[in-house]
Amino acid sequence: MSTTIVGNAIWFTFVCLALAMACATVRLAIGPGARDRVLAFDTMYIIGVMMVLLMALRSGTSVYFDVALLMALF
């Protein structure tokens, strides 16, 4: 990583996305209705794509961008 600020921001974002993933998992498990569970699953999917994009920024390779694009298409 070229700067420590960017590296720290990426790790902070990973932590925030992990917390959001945990909250969505709880909603998926105890959601009162089917709509809540579907929205929680969709949120988890989007967070997963964002985590792959963060890994692309951290590693500096374009392979992760292709993976994120394929995930978003499906």
Side-chain angles (χ1 to χ4, degrees), residues 24 27-28 30-43:
R27 178 53 59 194
L28 182 69
I30 63 170
R35 281 182 266 161
D36 295 317
R37 289 186 173 100
V38 168
L39 286 174
F41 185 72
D42 188 44
T43 301

Side-chain angles (χ1 to χ4, degrees), residues 1-7:
M1 196 53 39
S2 61
T3 63
T4 58
I5 293 175
V6 174

Side-chain angles (χ1 to χ4, degrees), residues 12-73:
F12 177 74
T13 308
F14 265 125
V15 170
C16 290
L17 287 176
L19 289 173
M21 184 75 80
C23 291
T25 303
V26 168
R27 178 53 59 194
L28 182 69
I30 63 170
R35 281 182 266 161
D36 295 317
R37 289 186 173 100
V38 168
L39 286 174
F41 185 72
D42 188 44
T43 301
M44 290 171 64
Y45 186 74
I46 291 170
I47 291 170
V49 171
M50 292 184 343
M51 283 185 167
V52 170
L53 288 173
L54 277 175
M55 287 191 308
L57 286 175
R58 196 179 92 203
S59 69
T61 62
S62 65
V63 174
Y64 290 112
F65 287 113
D66 295 335
V67 171
L69 180 64
L70 286 174
M71 285 175 69
L73 286 174

